[in-house]
Amino acid sequence: MVPGPPTARARLRALAVALTAAAALGALPAGASAQLAVEHVRATISEVEGDGDGVVGPGETFELTERIRHADSLTPSLTNVTGFVSEDEIQLIALQRASSYPDMAFGEEADNTPPYAWMVSSDADCGAAYDMSLRVGADQGEAQVPFRISTGGPGPLASYESADVPKPVTDLTPVESALTVTGAGRVKDLQVRVGDLTHTSAGDVTIELVAPSGASVVLVSARGDERDDFAGTVFSDAATQSIRSAAPPFTGTYRPQEPLANLAGEEAQGEWKLRVTDELGTDEGELNAWGLDVRTAVCDGKPVAFFEASPSPVLPGQTLTLDASGSSDPNGSIVSYEWDLDDDGQYDDATGVSPTTSFPVRGRHPVALRVTDDRGDTGTRTMQVSVTDPPVAALDASPASPLTGQDTVLDASGSSDPDGAPLERYEWDLDGDGAFERNGGPEPTITAQWGSPGTRTVGVRVTDEDGAGAVDTLDVVVRNRPPVPAFTHPAPVLAGSAMTFDAGGSTDPDSAISRYEWDFDGDGTYEVDGGTAPTAQHAFPAAGDVTVGLRVTDEHGAVETTTRSVSVTLAPVASFTATPNPVSLQRPVAFDASASSDADGTIARYEWDLDGDGSFETDTGAVPSATRSYSTGGTRSVRLRVTDDDGAQATATVALTAATVRPVAAVAGTPGTVDAG
C-alpha cells in the first residue's frame, strides 16, 4: 500500500523529534573552538515516508546521510565527533538535525548515525535544491561544512557539445565558450568533459562551469605545470580521485575542486558556459573541445524510456540501430526493453537495449519503446524516424588558386536534394580539420581568405529539410605573394669610404624575408650575400654613377629585385689660414679658406667654429672668409667645415693663439692642417 500524505499524528511526531534534535545541539563538545579542516564528500537522501516509489519528492519525508572526510593534517584523529545540520529553507520541516560520527583518523571518511531527517513541503518543485550547513564538533575543535541536497531522482542522460570552439586562451583575460541545453527541468546531476585544452603552462589556468543563472563552480585552478594539458578530462562528483590531489597529465575522471552538486536545482535549460582564465602572463593556450552531460530531476519514481536512432535520418532500406541505454530508473533498475516498430500499438517487434531495423520507403516512421523496472513500473517513449534520400553536396571555389589575403568565393549552389526541396543549411570547414566551424544557414556561398600560402582542404556540409546531410571537399591552393624590396643609402655616397646600405624597409605581405643579396657594381651579379641581415657596407673605389641592385627572397622561395642609380662623389678638401697668428687681444683675425677645393664640383658652403667649442656657429655661405677678434688669451682650435655641391663635407683645424701682449712684428698667416672627412 502506498503511504498517503503525513497525518496530524505524524506531524506531531515530527515536531517532537525536531525538539529533541534541537536539544541535542547542546551535546556538541563544550569548548570546541579550534578550527578543524573537515570536507564534505557526499550527501545521500532516501525516501522514508511518501508514495513508496523510492524517490524523494514534494510532500515526502527523507533521511540524509552526510559523508565527511577528516582533512586536518595537523590533527592525527578526531574523537567524540558529532554533527548538527542547519538550513534556511521554509520548504523543509526538520525532523532530525543532530547525529554522531565515529572517531576518524586523518584522511578517513565516515557517515553519520542515525540519519538526519526532513519533510519536504508539498508545494516544492521537483528537483529543488537546498543549501545545508553541517556543524562538526569534536574533542579537538569544530568545523563548518556547507553542502547542497536536491530532491528527485536522475532522469535520462542528455549530452551536449560546444560549437563555438576553438577559443584562444590569452593572458589574464577570461575566455568563455557556450553551449545550449535544450531540455527543461531542474538539474539533478552534471558531468563536464574537457576534451582538449592546451596551454604552455596548465598550472596558470582556472576552469569554471557557469550555469544560465550565473551561478558557477570552479572545476580546477592552479594544477599542473608547463606543457600539462587537459585531454579527455572528465569532472564528476562520483569520481574516486579529486583533481586537488591529482598529478598531470590530466586524462581521466576527477572530482572537481568545487562540487558540481552546488549547481543541483538550477534550471537546466539555457546557455551554459565554460570559463577559462589564464591567471599569469607570458603563456598562451587554446580551448578546442568541451561538453556537458546533464540529468534533470524526476519525482514520480517510474522508469524513463529514452532512445536514440542512428543514423538519423536514415536511407530507405538502410540498417537503423536503436539505442535505449540512456533510459533510466530513479529508484531501481530497468529489467526489460520492448519495441513497437510497425506502429500497431503492440510492443512485440523487438526486445533488448539495442535492436536494429530498417524501413523500405521514404517518410516519417514512428518507433516506440516501453521499459519496465524491477518494481513493475513502466515508461514509454515514441520518436518519429525520418527515412529519406540524402542530398548531394557540390563545392566550387573562385579563384581556384588565390593569392594570400585575396577574397575567395566558396560556392555550394550546385548542391541539391533528390527529394526536390530546398536545402536547409550550409556549413563550412575552412581549415580542413573536419569540423564545420562556420554555419552559413540557407546561403550557399561564403567568402574566405587565407593569410599564408599552401594547400587548404575546404569542405561544405549540406543538410536537407529531413536532417539528412552530405559533404563535399575541395583543395584550394593559396599562392604566395612575393616580397617587396626597398633600400636606402647615405647621401652623398663618398668614394673610398665604407657606406651602409639598408634594406630594412623591404616587406613581405604573407611571410618574412629570409635572404638579402647585393650587387654593388651594376653587373647583374649579386656578389654580396647578407643572409638574414638587411644591412650591408660597401666602399666604392672611384667617383661616378653606379647601379646598385638588391635581391630579396622570402620564406617560401619567392624572389624580387630592385635597383637604384647611386652617384658616388669625391669629398672636398678643406684648408684655411688665420692672419695674424698669434694675435693680440681685441685685434681682428682674418680667416681665409680660398685654398679649399673640390675635385668634382664646387664648394657650396663654408661654416666656421671660431671659438673652438665644437659648434659651427658661423655660416658664411659660399664666401670662403671670416673675421673674428678675441677678448681672452689662450690657444683655441678654430675649425672649418666645407660642403660641396653634392653634399659631401670635409673639415680643417688651425690652432690659434690669442696673446695678451701685442706682437713685435707681424707674422704671416700659418696654413692649417687638413682633416678630410
Side-chain angles (χ1 to χ4, degrees), residues 96-118:
Q96 177 75 25
R97 292 182 183 271
S99 188
S100 61
Y101 290 86
D103 295 347
M104 287 182 283
F106 171 66
E108 285 187 343
E109 299 178 0
D111 294 329
N112 56 292
T113 305
Y116 307 107
W118 278 265

Side-chain angles (χ1 to χ4, degrees), residues 96-144:
Q96 177 75 25
R97 292 182 183 271
S99 188
S100 61
Y101 290 86
D103 295 347
M104 287 182 283
F106 171 66
E108 285 187 343
E109 299 178 0
D111 294 329
N112 56 292
T113 305
Y116 307 107
W118 278 265
M119 178 187 294
V120 183
S121 172
S122 59
D123 60 358
D125 291 338
C126 177
Y130 305 104
D131 292 314
M132 305 286 202
S133 181
L134 170 66
R135 178 188 169 196
V136 178
D139 292 331
Q140 293 75 23
E142 65 179 33
Q144 206 75 23

Side-chain angles (χ1 to χ4, degrees), residues 386-407:
S386 179
V387 180
T388 182
D389 292 314
V392 177
L395 178 60
D396 192 16
S398 180
S401 183
L403 292 168
T404 57
Q406 183 178 4
D407 283 348

Side-chain angles (χ1 to χ4, degrees), residues 312-332:
S312 179
V314 65
L315 302 177
Q318 184 180 10
T319 297
L320 177 72
T321 299
L322 303 170
D323 181 5
S325 60
S327 300
S328 63
D329 187 66
N331 59 358

Side-chain angles (χ1 to χ4, degrees), residues 330-345:
N331 59 358
S333 59
I334 297 175
V335 297
S336 71
Y337 301 82
E338 301 167 289
W339 301 85
D340 175 13
L341 305 178
D342 56 10
D343 195 28
D344 65 353

Side-chain angles (χ1 to χ4, degrees), residues 13 108 124 255 270 327 378 393 427 451 506 521 529 560:
R13 181 177 61 81
E108 285 187 343
R255 287 198 312 278
S327 300
T378 61
E427 297 168 283
S506 302
D521 56 14
D529 188 346
E560 283 293 331

Side-chain angles (χ1 to χ4, degrees), residues 340-655:
D340 175 13
L341 305 178
D342 56 10
D343 195 28
D344 65 353
Q346 303 298 312
Y347 293 89
D348 56 1
D349 299 319
T351 60
V353 175
S354 186
T356 59
T357 189
S358 64
F359 298 97
V361 296
R362 291 182 63 250
R364 299 182 68 82
H365 297 265
V367 172
L369 165 68
R370 181 173 66 192
V371 296
T372 305
D373 68 8
D374 52 359
R375 295 171 178 259
D377 292 327
T378 61
T380 61
R381 175 180 174 84
T382 300
M383 181 171 70
Q384 298 291 328
V385 174
S386 179
V387 180
T388 182
D389 292 314
V392 177
L395 178 60
D396 192 16
S398 180
S401 183
L403 292 168
T404 57
Q406 183 178 4
D407 283 348
T408 303
V409 177
L410 301 176
D411 187 354
S413 58
S415 305
S416 61
D417 183 5
D419 301 327
L423 294 174
E424 294 263 327
R425 186 169 65 251
Y426 296 81
E427 297 168 283
W428 302 90
D429 172 17
L430 303 181
D431 54 13
D433 65 352
F436 294 86
E437 65 275 1
R438 186 183 297 186
N439 187 349
E443 294 298 324
T445 62
I446 63 168
T447 300
Q449 293 181 345
W450 291 273
S452 60
T455 300
R456 301 293 194 280
T457 300
V458 298
V460 64
R461 180 171 63 194
V462 298
T463 305
D464 66 16
E465 63 180 3
D466 295 317
V471 172
D472 189 24
T473 60
L474 178 70
D475 284 344
V476 176
V477 179
V478 183
R479 292 179 289 137
N480 179 40
R481 289 181 183 267
V484 180
F487 69 91
T488 60
H489 60 79
V493 176
L494 300 179
S497 298
M499 299 284 107
T500 298
F501 288 76
D502 187 353
S506 302
T507 59
D508 189 275
D510 52 21
S511 60
I513 296 175
S514 60
R515 190 178 184 187
Y516 299 83
E517 298 169 281
W518 301 88
D519 171 20
F520 286 116
D521 56 14
D523 65 354
T525 300
Y526 293 86
E527 65 277 357
V528 176
D529 188 346
T532 58
T535 60
Q537 287 192 328
H538 183 74
F540 296 94
D545 291 336
V546 179
T547 299
V548 175
L550 168 66
R551 181 167 67 190
V552 295
T553 305
D554 71 12
E555 293 176 325
H556 301 286
V559 177
E560 283 293 331
T561 63
T562 187
T563 60
R564 292 184 66 176
S565 180
V566 176
S567 294
V568 182
T569 184
L570 297 174
V573 176
S575 178
F576 72 99
T577 60
T579 305
N581 185 11
V583 64
S584 298
L585 299 181
Q586 306 301 336
R587 181 177 176 180
V589 179
F591 298 96
D592 184 1
S594 58
S596 300
S597 62
D598 181 38
D600 58 358
T602 58
I603 303 294
R605 188 179 185 187
Y606 296 84
E607 297 171 279
W608 305 86
D609 172 17
L610 300 178
D611 55 9
D613 67 352
S615 174
F616 294 91
E617 71 280 349
T618 302
D619 185 347
T620 58
V623 177
S625 61
T627 302
R628 169 74 186 263
S629 61
Y630 299 89
S631 59
T632 59
T635 300
R636 50 183 55 81
S637 294
V638 177
R639 301 176 69 208
L640 165 69
R641 180 170 66 194
V642 296
T643 304
D644 68 12
D645 52 357
D646 293 316
Q649 294 182 328
T651 60
T653 304
V654 168

Side-chain angles (χ1 to χ4, degrees), residues 23 40 47 74 84 176 182 216 223 255 269 278 353 440 449 485 516 546 614 621 649 661:
H40 160 78
E47 178 194 20
L74 300 179
F84 182 82
E176 293 183 340
T182 55
S216 66
R223 297 297 306 167
R255 287 198 312 278
Q269 196 170 56
D278 183 347
V353 175
Q449 293 181 345
Y516 299 83
V546 179
Q649 294 182 328
V661 179

